[in-house]
Amino acid sequence: MPSHLTTFQGSIPEALKQAIEAKIEGSTAEVTGGGGHFNLVVTSPVFAGKSMLESQRLVYGAIAHLMAGDQAPVHAIDSLKTRTP
């Protein structure tokens, strides 16, 4: 993985997981990747009846703070899958 400049301290995958699970009720998040690029699989009953775009917007809203700024710890979400249990 290429290096990604950030001042973030701690585990970025864990920060993504915690942010998603805290903001999206009943969710579980699987996070893989590194170097600023991550893959997410998020499962939540909240996604039932929502379009793929609506579900993905919920996830991006939950992690927006980790993607903001020039030295954000998350540069890109390479893959985002949302599922219902």
Side-chain angles (χ1 to χ4, degrees), residues 5-16 65-66 71-74:
L5 181 63
T6 182
T7 57
F8 184 85
Q9 298 293 311
S11 168
I12 298 168
E14 188 59 30
L16 283 164
H65 66 288
L66 294 169
Q71 292 188 354
V74 178

Side-chain angles (χ1 to χ4, degrees), residues 23-44:
K23 295 275 185 180
I24 301 175
E25 187 176 338
S27 67
T28 57
E30 300 170 39
V31 181
T32 58
H37 290 253
F38 297 90
N39 303 300
L40 307 175
V41 177
V42 183
T43 305
S44 174

Side-chain angles (χ1 to χ4, degrees), residues 54-70:
E54 290 172 317
S55 297
Q56 289 181 346
R57 283 182 176 155
L58 288 172
V59 176
Y60 277 109
I63 64 171
H65 66 288
L66 294 169
M67 298 182 77
D70 290 340

